[in-house]
C-alpha cells in the first residue's frame, strides 16, 4: 500500500533532488543497497470548492483504496484513514466511521471529482558503511505524468538511524553537493498545475472592492457582474450533475443579483431594470422544480434516522421515485442550460450593466454609502412594522413575507459589508442570520409539505409508501411548529429597543452625516 | 518494561547466540527491544556489525545511564537497538562497588529506559561478580542455557546454590537446554535427570546447529538469514514461551 511521500515520521527530512540524481550517485562514499521499486498510479479527488485541499488534506486512490492523508506545507503527512470502494462521490458513499466523519466536515454536500493523476515511483535504499552496517536509509520518490515518462519531480526522504547521526549529516552534505535543495512548497501544487487546475477559494460572499464614496451605479454594477460570474461558473457542474450545490449556488446568485436591482433603485433606467429582473427571475424559475426535488432528496438520511423502522421500506420507495423524477428533471434543466441561452442571458446582463456611460438616472452617480445606509434602515423599520403583527398563530404567508424582508436586509448588509462599521454591524448580522435561520426552517418545512403532498397526489400509491408519506408530513409539520415557537423569541431580540437604537446609531447618523 | 538476561557461569553454552536471536525475535513480535552487551568480548555487537561503545564515565548512576544512552545504536532491523560492549566494561565491578546500594544500581540505571523499550535483553559475561549480582537483581527473568552434559549440570547446581545462599529470587532462574543433540544418549539422559531436579526448565530446547555457528560469518541474527531453520524456529518458540510465561506472571 502506498502512502505517497508521507512525512509522518518526525525524524525524517525531505530534500528535493535535481533531475537525473539517482541512489547510485551516493555509491562513492557508501555501499548503496537498493530495494525493489514500487510504482503506483494515483488519482486525486477534490470538490468544486477544493474542500479537501483547504482542509489541509489529500484524498486519493492508489488503485486499491481511497486514502485520506494530511497535507502540511505542500507535503503529505499522516494517513488519517483508508477505505476500499468504487465510484465514490459523496461522504456518505464511504462506510468507515472516521472517513465519513472527516469527509462530511470537508465536503459538506459537495461531490468528489478526479482532479489529477500521477505515477509515483518509490524506492528504499540502505546506505552501508565499510562493516556492512546500515548507517542511513533513504526513500527515493519520483513523480511522473504517466508510466514510463521522465519524472517531473524527484525527492528523497532521509531516515536517520539512532546512533549514526554523524553519518546522516554526511549524507545530507553529499546530497547538497549533488544539487539537493530544501523541501520548498512540495510537489502537489506542481502536480495540480500539470493537471491544469489550481485550488482557488470559492465563496458566495466575495469582496467587491467598493468604498463608501463609490458611485452607486459603479458599485452595483461591480457587485452584479461578480455575482453573475459566480452563477455562470456553476452551470457546468449543474449539467454534469456533480452535486446539488451547483444548482443551489447558481440560484442564490441569480436571486441576489435580481434582489439588488430592486434594492438600490434609480440607478438604471426603469425599463432596463425590469428587463434584467425578469430575465433573472425566468432563469431561476426554470430550475424551481429541480431544486424542490433536490431539497427533498437531500433529507433522506435525516428522515431515515427520525422515522421508525417499519416506515423505512416506504421511505425507500418514495425516495426511489423522487430520485427517478429528479433524474428526468435534471436532464431537462441540463438540456436548457447546455443550449447556452442561460449563459448568453447572463453574459448579456453583465455586459449591459458594466457599461459605464449612457445612464444618467438620478441615483446613478450618488455615493453608494448613504444610499445603502438609508436602504438598510428602511428595511429594518419595515421588519419592525411586520414584527408587530406576528404571533404564534400568524399564517405561513405572513411569516413568508417577514422572511423575504429579512432576506432583503441581509442581502443589503452582505453586499455592502465592506463599507459597514465592522464590529457593530457584525453583531446585527449575526442576530439577523439567527432569525433568518428559524424563519428558513419554518418555511422549508412548509414548502416541503406542500411539495410532497402535491407530488404525491400525482403518484400511484402503495400502502407502504402512503403510510410513510403520512409519517413524513407529520415530521415536517412538527419541525415547522418547533421553528414557529422559536421565531417569536428571535424576532423580539432583533426588534427590541436596544437593537433598533444600534441600527439607528450606525445607519441613520452616518447616512445623514455624509449624505448631504 | 521487562529485563531478561542471558547468563551462565560457564562459557561456550550459547549465551550470546541466545541474546542476539531472542532480541531479534522480540522485535519481530513488535516489542521495542534493547540489547545491552555487557560482555567485554563484544560478540553480540559484532553480530550486528556495530562497533564498540565510546568511552564514558561510570562513576555514578547518572553518568552511567547517560553514557549507555549515548551509546545506543539502531540495528539494521526495525524495533531493535543495541548498546555495544566496550573493553571498559571490565571495570564495571569497580564502578558499581563505589556506589551506594551497589547490588541494585543496574536496575536503577535500566529503569531510565522504561519509556523507550518494552524489553531489555542483557548479554552477560560468564562469571559471578558484583555485575552478575546486579544482573540477578535487575532481571525479571534469567535465562540460563544448559548443554545437557555433566559440567553444565554442575554449573547450574552452583548457580542454584548461590541464589539460595544470597537469598536471590529462585523463581527468576529459567534454565533451558541449549546445543542439544537429540541422538546423543548422554544428552537425553541428562535432560531427563535435570528436568526432574529442576521443574522450572523451559519446555523449548535449542538444537546444536551449524546454522548458528554461521552467524559469525553472516554477522546477523540467525533468524534474519535462515528464518526456516530448526534452530531459528526454536528461538522463536522460546520467545513465545517467555512471552506467555510473563503474561501468566502478570495475570
Amino acid at each position: 500500500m502506498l502512502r505517497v511521500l508521507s512525512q509522518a515520521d518526525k525524524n525524517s527530512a525531505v530534500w528535493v533532488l535535481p533531475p537525473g540524481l539517482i541512489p547510485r550517485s551516493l555509491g562513492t562514499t557508501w555501499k548503496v543497497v537498493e530495494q525493489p521499486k514500487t510504482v503506483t498510479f494515483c488519482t486525486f479527488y477534490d470538490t468544486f470548492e477544493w474542500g479537501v485541499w483547504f482542509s489541509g488534506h489529500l484524498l486519493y486512490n492508489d488503485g486499491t483504496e481511497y486514502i485520506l492523508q494530511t497535507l502540511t506545507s505542500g507535503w503529505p503527512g499522516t494517513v488519517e484513514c483508508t477505505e476500499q470502494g468504487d465510484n465514490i462521490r459523496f461522504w456518505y458513499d464511504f462506510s468507515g466511521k472516521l472517513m465519513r466523519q472527516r469527509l462530511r466536515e470537508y465536503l459538506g454536500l459537495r461531490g468528489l471529482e478526479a482532479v489529477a493523476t500521477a505515477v509515483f515511483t518509490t524506492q528504499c535504499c540502505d546506505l552501508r558503511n565499510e562493516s556492512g552496517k546500515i548507517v542511513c536509509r533513504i526513500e527515493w520518490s519520483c513523480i511522473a505524468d504517466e508510466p514510463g515518462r521522465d519524472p517531473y519531480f524527484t525527492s528523497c526522504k532521509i531516515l536517520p538511524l539512532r546512533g549514526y547521526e554523524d553519518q546522516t549529516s554526511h549524507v545530507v552534505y553529499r546530497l547538497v553537493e549533488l544539487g539537493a535543495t530544501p523541501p520548498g512548497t512540495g510537489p502537489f501544487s506542481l502536480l495540480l498545475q500539470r493537471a491544469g487546475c489550481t485550488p482557488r477559494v470559492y465563496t458566495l460572499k466575495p469582496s467587491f472592492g467598493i468604498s463608501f464614496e463609490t458611485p452607486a451605479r459603479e458599485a452595483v454594477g461591480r457587485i452584479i457582474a461578480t455575482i453573475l460570474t459566480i452563477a455562470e461558473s456553476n452551470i457546468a457542474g449543474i449539467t454534469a450533475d456533480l452535486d446539488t450545490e451547483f444548482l443551489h449556488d447558481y440560484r442564490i446568485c441569480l436571486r441576489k443579483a435580481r434582489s439588488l436591482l430592486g434594492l438600490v433603485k434609480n440607478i438604471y433606467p426603469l425599463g432596463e431594470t425590469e428587463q434584467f429582473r425578469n430575465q433573472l427571475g425566468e432563469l431561476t424559475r426554470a430550475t424551481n422544480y429541480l431544486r424542490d426535488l433536490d431539497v427533498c432528496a437531500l433529507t433522506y438520511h435525516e428522515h431515515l434516522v427520525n422515522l421508525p423502522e417499519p416506515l423505512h421500506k416506504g421511505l425507500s420507495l418514495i425516495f426511489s421515485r423522487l430520485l427517478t423524477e429528479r433524474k428526468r428533471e435534471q436532464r431537462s434543466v441540463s438540456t436548457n442550460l447546455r443550449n447556452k441561452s442561460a449563459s448568453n442571458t447572463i453574459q448579456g446582463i453583465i455586459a449591459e450593466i458594466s457599461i459605464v456611460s449612457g445612464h444618467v438616472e438620478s441615483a446613478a452617480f450618488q455615493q453608494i454609502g448613504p444610499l445603502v445606509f438609508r436602504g438598510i434602515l428602511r428595511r429594518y423599520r419595515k421588519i419592525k412594522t411586520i414584527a408587530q403583527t406576528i404571533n404564534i398563530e400568524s399564517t405561513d404567508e405572513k411569516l413568508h413575507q417577514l422572511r423575504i424582508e429579512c432576506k432583503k436586509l441581509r442581502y443589503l448588509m452582505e453586499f455592502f459589508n465592506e463599507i459597514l462599521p465592522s464590529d457593530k454591524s457584525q453583531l446585527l448580522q449575526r442576530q439577523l442570520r439567527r432569525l433568518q435561520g428559524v424563519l428558513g426552517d419554518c418555511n422549508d418545512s412548509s414548502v416541503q409539505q406542500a411539495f410532497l403532498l402535491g407530488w404525491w397526489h400525482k403518484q400511484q400509491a402503495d400502502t407502504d409508501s402512503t403510510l410513510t408519506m403520512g409519517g413524513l408530513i407529520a415530521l415536517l409539520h412538527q419541525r415547522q411548529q418547533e421553528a414557529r415557537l422559536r421565531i417569536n423569541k428571535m424576532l423580539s431580540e432583533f426588534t427590541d429597543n436596544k437593537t433598533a437604537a444600534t441600527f439607528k446609531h450606525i445607519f441613520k447618523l452616518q447616512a445623514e452625516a455624509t449624505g448631504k | 518494561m521487562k529485563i531478561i538476561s542471558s547468563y551462565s557461569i560457564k562459557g561456550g553454552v550459547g549465551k550470546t547466540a541466545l541474546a542476539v536471536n531472542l532480541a531479534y525475535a522480540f522485535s519481530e513480535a513488535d516489542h521495542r527491544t534493547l540489547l545491552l552487551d555487557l560482555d567485554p568480548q563484544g560478540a553480540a555487537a559484532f553480530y550486528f556489525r556495530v562497533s564498540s561503545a565510546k568511552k564514558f564515565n561510570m562513576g555514578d548512576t547518572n553518568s552511567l545511564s547517560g553514557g549507555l544512552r549515548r551509546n545506543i545504536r539502531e540495528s539494521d532491523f526495525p524495533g531493535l537497538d543495541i548498546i555495544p560492549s566496550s573493553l571498559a566494561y571490565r571495570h564495571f565491578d569497580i564502578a558499581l562497588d563505589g556506589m551506594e546500594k551497589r547490588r541494585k544500581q543496574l536496575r536503577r540505571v535500566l529503569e531510565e529506559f522504561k519509556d523507550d523499550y518494552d524489553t531489555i535483553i542483557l548479554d552477560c559475561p560468564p562469571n559471578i561478580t558484583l555485575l552478575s549480582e546486579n544482573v540477578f537483581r535487575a532481571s525479571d527473568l534469567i535465562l540460563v542455557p544448559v548443554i545437557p552434559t555433566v559440567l553444565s549440570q554442575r554449573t547450574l547446581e552452583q548457580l542454584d546454590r548461590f541464589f539460595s545462599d544470597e537469598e536471590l529470587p529462585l523463581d527468576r532462574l529459567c534454565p533451558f537446554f541449549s546445543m542439544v543433540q537429540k541422538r546423543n544418549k548422554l544428552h537425553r539422559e541428562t535432560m531427563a535427570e535435570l528436568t526432574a531436579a529442576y521443574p522450572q526448565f523451559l519446555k523449548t530446547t535449542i538444537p546444536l546447529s551449524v546454522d548458528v555457528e554461521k552467524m559469525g560469518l553472516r554477522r546477523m541474527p540467525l533468524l534474519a538469514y535462515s528464518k526456516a531453520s530448526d534452530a531459528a524456529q526454536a528461538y522463536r518458540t522460546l520467545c513465545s514461551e517467555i512471552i506467555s510465561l510473563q503474561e501468566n506472571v502478570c495475570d
Side-chain angles (χ1 to χ4, degrees), chain A residues 108-160:
Chain A
L109 295 173
R110 285 291 184 186
L112 292 165
E113 53 181 325
V115 291
T117 56
V119 179
F120 290 79
T121 305
T122 53
Q123 185 180 30
C124 289
C125 307
D126 300 332
L127 303 189
R128 293 180 180 268
N129 64 11
E130 66 285 352
S131 303
K133 170 78 182 77
I134 301 175
V135 292
C136 187
R137 289 193 176 94
I138 297 187
E139 192 180 285
W140 222 269
S141 302
C142 300
I143 310 177
D145 291 320
E146 285 171 35
R149 286 275 193 90
D150 285 341
Y152 57 81
F153 189 90
T154 307
S155 64
C156 74
K157 183 162 62 174
I158 297 174
L159 305 158

Side-chain angles (χ1 to χ4, degrees), chain A residues 391-434:
Chain A
N391 58 43
I392 196 80
E393 283 160 5
S394 295
T395 60
D396 286 355
E397 289 72 30
K398 194 82 189 166
L399 292 176
H400 181 62
Q401 188 197 351
L402 174 66
R403 181 171 155 269
I404 295 300
E405 288 306 322
C406 287
K407 195 179 265 189
K408 285 176 181 172
L409 176 60
R410 185 165 67 87
Y411 282 169
L412 262 183
M413 294 179 85
E414 278 178 11
F415 287 143
F416 299 101
N417 195 38
E418 290 160 62
I419 62 170
L420 305 186
S422 60
D423 49 346
K424 283 182 182 169
S425 77
Q426 288 304 324
L427 187 74
L428 296 174
Q429 286 190 63
R430 262 203 302 278
Q431 271 185 299
L432 180 57
R433 268 199 298 275
R434 278 205 299 271

